[in-house]
């Protein structure tokens, strides 16, 4: 069984300051983990993914995440927030990759950026 | 590459009518596609797994006769909302996986409003 918990429903940071969006997972086997971003009334865009390679994963738009097995975490970070980063972010877990594997979404974290 | 196209992006229909939503993989073949539903300010809920050439697999609580899924080719899955009611109004998103290096790619979503 798998599950994913996003610890914050809403995060607000000032432009230019670091971003931290927290995600913890539970999985019976080696998970694949993803972060997606969704802008209002839009589909989802993949930011980055972890699939049992390097534990520090770099994604698009300056985002990165670190897979920590001991903490069952996959937190998303960015050194300096930009106004365009304001969106909804979803942490997603699945089992070992297969095109037919179900993926489980976290509840989402809304990121707001203050000028 | 690895684009999933969803159409229409927005549709308004009258109660009692049926609406068809298309999901196409543009540059890859997808034996499996997934259909999600998203309520305002909520996460994505997996409705069903669409399997090319066979019946779809529905999640618990999703009415098969209400949400008809057809996956007749390797690049097209359709979701038909039958006898739509206002409570079916929602954002519907499809996804497929082009391969392990891509993760899961999502369509841009369809905003359904039933009046």
């Amino acid at each position: 069984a798998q599950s994913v918990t996003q610890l914050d429903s809403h995060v607000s940071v000032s432009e230019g300051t670091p971003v931290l969006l927290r995600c913890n997972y539970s999985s019976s086997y080696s998970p694949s983990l993803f972060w997606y971003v969704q802008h209002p009334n839009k589909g989802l865009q993949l930011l980055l993914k972890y699939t049992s390679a390097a534990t520090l994963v770099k994604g698009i738009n300056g985002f990165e995440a670190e897979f920590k097995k001991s903490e069952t975490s996959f937190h998303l970070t960015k050194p300096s927030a930009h106004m365009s980063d304001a969106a909804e972010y979803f942490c997603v877990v699945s089992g070992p990759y297969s095109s037919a594997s179900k993926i489980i979404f976290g509840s989402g974290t809304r990121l707001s950026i203050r000028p | 590459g690895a684009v999933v196209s969803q159409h229409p992006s927005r549709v308004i229909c009258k109660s009692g009518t049926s609406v068809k939503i298309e999901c196409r993989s543009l540059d890859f073949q997808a034996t499996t596609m997934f259909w999600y539903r998203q309520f305002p300010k909520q996460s994505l809920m997996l409705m069903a797994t669409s399997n090319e050439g066979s019946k779809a697999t529905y999640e618990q609580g999703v009415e098969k006769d209400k949400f008809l899924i057809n996956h007749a080719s390797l690049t097209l899955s359709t979701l038909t909302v039958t006898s739509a009611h206002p409570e079916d109004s929602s954002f519907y998103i499809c996804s497929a996986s082009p391969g392990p290096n891509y993760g899961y790619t999502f369509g841009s979503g369809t905003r359904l409003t039933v009046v």
Side-chain angles (χ1 to χ4, degrees):
Chain A
Q2 301 164 91
S3 66
V4 59
T5 302
Q6 291 183 244
L7 300 167
D8 307 293
S9 60
H10 182 212
V11 170
S12 179
V13 302
S14 297
E15 189 175 19
T17 64
V19 174
L20 170 64
L21 304 184
R22 298 182 295 167
C23 172
N24 285 97
Y25 70 92
S26 172
S27 180
S28 304
Y29 31 74
S30 182
S32 296
L33 292 157
F34 310 82
W35 276 98
Y36 285 87
V37 60
Q38 184 181 34
H39 292 276
N41 293 311
K42 300 290 186 183
L44 285 86
Q45 181 183 20
L46 178 66
L47 283 177
L48 49 79
K49 64 183 187 294
Y50 166 78
T51 54
S52 75
T55 57
L56 181 61
V57 183
K58 294 187 183 297
I60 63 172
N61 300 336
F63 285 95
E64 63 180 39
E66 186 171 7
F67 173 72
K68 292 186 176 180
K69 186 176 181 179
S70 60
E71 299 177 10
T72 61
S73 69
F74 190 59
H75 301 334
L76 181 70
T77 60
K78 182 173 181 177
S80 177
H82 191 273
M83 294 300 291
S84 61
D85 295 328
E88 189 83 17
Y89 291 79
F90 293 99
C91 183
V92 174
V93 65
S94 75
Y97 174 78
S98 161
S99 63
S101 294
K102 289 183 185 179
I103 58 175
I104 306 299
F105 278 79
S107 54
T109 298
R110 181 164 61 90
L111 176 63
S112 299
I113 311 297
R114 301 187 299 271
Chain B
V3 175
V4 171
S5 174
Q6 193 172 335
H7 179 80
S9 58
R10 189 178 295 267
V11 59
I12 301 173
C13 70
K14 293 184 177 180
S15 288
T17 62
S18 295
V19 173
K20 181 185 285 188
I21 303 170
E22 293 186 348
C23 181
R24 293 182 184 272
S25 56
L26 294 188
D27 46 8
F28 67 98
Q29 293 182 335
T31 55
T32 303
M33 291 185 175
F34 301 94
W35 287 97
Y36 295 85
R37 183 173 181 175
Q38 185 180 31
F39 291 102
K41 300 187 185 302
Q42 294 190 26
S43 188
L44 278 73
M45 179 191 76
L46 179 64
M47 299 175 64
T49 303
S50 173
N51 304 298
E52 188 268 335
S54 64
K55 292 183 179 180
T57 305
Y58 290 82
E59 295 301 302
Q60 191 173 8
V62 178
E63 299 176 60
K64 300 178 182 181
D65 296 332
K66 159 68 78 174
F67 299 102
L68 298 180
I69 290 173
N70 183 275
H71 195 153
S73 79
L74 287 171
T75 58
L76 174 64
S77 175
T78 60
L79 169 68
T80 301
V81 183
T82 62
S83 187
H85 291 282
E87 56 265 31
D88 298 325
S89 298
S90 193
F91 194 56
Y92 294 87
I93 304 177
C94 67
S95 80
S97 179
N101 292 328
Y102 293 92
Y104 300 87
T105 301
F106 289 81
S108 55
T110 297
R111 170 74 58 196
L112 170 63
T113 304
V114 184
V115 297

